[in-house]
Amino acid sequence: DAGVIQSPRHEVTEMGQEVTLRCKPISGHNSLFWYRQTMMRGLELLIYFNNNVPIDDSGMPEDRFSAKMPNASFSTLKIQPSEPRDSAVYFCASSLEGNTIYFGEGSWLTVV
Amino acid sequence: AQSVTQPDIHITVSEGASLELRCNYSYGATPYLFWYVQSPGQGLQLLLKYFSGDTLVQGIKGFEAEFKRSQSSFNLRKPSVHWSDAAEYFCAVGVGNNDMRFGAGTRLTVKP
């Protein structure tokens, strides 16, 4: 079975540029999560969707961050404009509601 | 508030030795409990989970964990560590998908 698929795996961008991270959840899963991992703050939940609807975005750092889920098989996390402090690993994860969360391999973002 | 604590930031064991990674949680009811492993440059992989029933849970790669309600603990164990077990290990606790918390992680180093 295909797991959670994220792209790009690695991205290096200049400060001020727009960054778009993409995620394809596991087929049949109805919950999707975006996490950010840094050395300083560990693993943080940014936003959570259920049946394509954003349920909890309290973890989104600020207005520069936005996430969408136009359909059950695709989600994006966008940072505009990007800043060096956004450098982190961004994980997408999915689950069938009430069950285990499965993670993608992450998108390594470096903003210089 | 729901929380999960991994008291050990870094543990070093010799190959072949036994391993125990500690995890304590704080929650009013019995939550769902998980252990994930993250190898360098990779995403988080589920090792095992506890929802209910038998308090000793078997996972992949020879790992097991025991839920102890009286101690609010869910420690991960392996009788004989292999060099390939070197990774970061995360304990997670949740009730439903919208309130899942991860510990800060324990980094495991395996000495030859």
Side-chain angles (χ1 to χ4, degrees):
Chain A
D1 287 340
V4 176
I5 299 172
Q6 292 186 244
S7 65
R9 287 297 313 277
H10 300 274
E11 179 153 351
V12 180
T13 190
E14 291 186 342
M15 181 173 63
Q17 296 298 306
E18 177 178 292
V19 173
T20 299
L21 308 178
R22 298 173 178 80
C23 175
K24 177 178 168 53
I26 293 172
S27 178
H29 282 188
N30 62 351
S31 295
L32 183 140
F33 308 81
W34 283 101
Y35 286 88
R36 178 173 67 177
Q37 185 179 37
T38 61
M39 287 291 292
M40 293 298 294
R41 300 174 68 91
L43 200 60
E44 303 172 278
L45 177 64
L46 299 178
I47 187 170
Y48 147 64
F49 293 86
N50 189 39
N51 294 322
N52 313 338
V53 176
I55 302 300
D56 182 0
D57 65 354
S58 59
M60 295 286 264
E62 48 198 272
D63 292 345
R64 297 185 297 106
F65 285 69
S66 62
K68 294 182 180 179
M69 192 167 186
N71 57 62
S73 59
F74 184 66
S75 176
T76 59
L77 178 67
K78 188 173 293 186
I79 309 172
Q80 168 61 24
S82 58
E83 297 182 2
R85 60 192 168 118
D86 301 330
S87 298
V89 184
Y90 291 83
F91 287 103
C92 179
S94 72
S95 76
L96 189 57
E97 190 169 15
N99 212 315
T100 308
I101 292 177
Y102 294 90
F103 285 79
E105 293 195 337
S107 292
W108 266 248
L109 174 65
T110 302
V111 182
V112 298
Chain B
Q2 182 174 314
S3 67
V4 55
T5 303
Q6 294 179 246
D8 304 306
I9 296 174
H10 184 205
I11 284 182
T12 299
V13 299
S14 298
E15 190 168 16
S18 64
L19 171 70
E20 182 168 26
L21 302 182
R22 295 182 291 166
C23 174
N24 295 96
Y25 68 90
S26 173
Y27 195 74
T30 300
Y32 300 153
L33 298 162
F34 306 83
W35 275 99
Y36 286 84
V37 60
Q38 185 180 28
S39 298
Q42 301 295 316
L44 279 74
Q45 181 185 18
L46 179 70
L47 282 176
L48 48 79
K49 61 187 177 185
Y50 173 79
F51 284 2
S52 65
D54 192 346
T55 56
L56 184 62
V57 181
Q58 301 298 318
I60 63 171
K61 304 184 180 186
F63 285 92
E64 66 177 26
E66 186 172 11
F67 168 58
K68 292 186 177 179
R69 185 190 306 274
S70 62
Q71 299 177 17
S72 297
S73 69
F74 189 56
N75 294 350
L76 182 71
R77 301 194 295 250
K78 186 169 184 177
S80 177
V81 171
H82 188 262
W83 64 266
S84 61
D85 294 324
E88 186 102 18
Y89 290 80
F90 293 91
C91 181
V93 56
V95 177
N97 288 316
N98 61 343
D99 195 9
M100 188 154 174
R101 305 293 176 88
F102 284 83
T106 298
R107 184 161 61 92
L108 174 65
T109 298
V110 180
K111 293 190 301 183

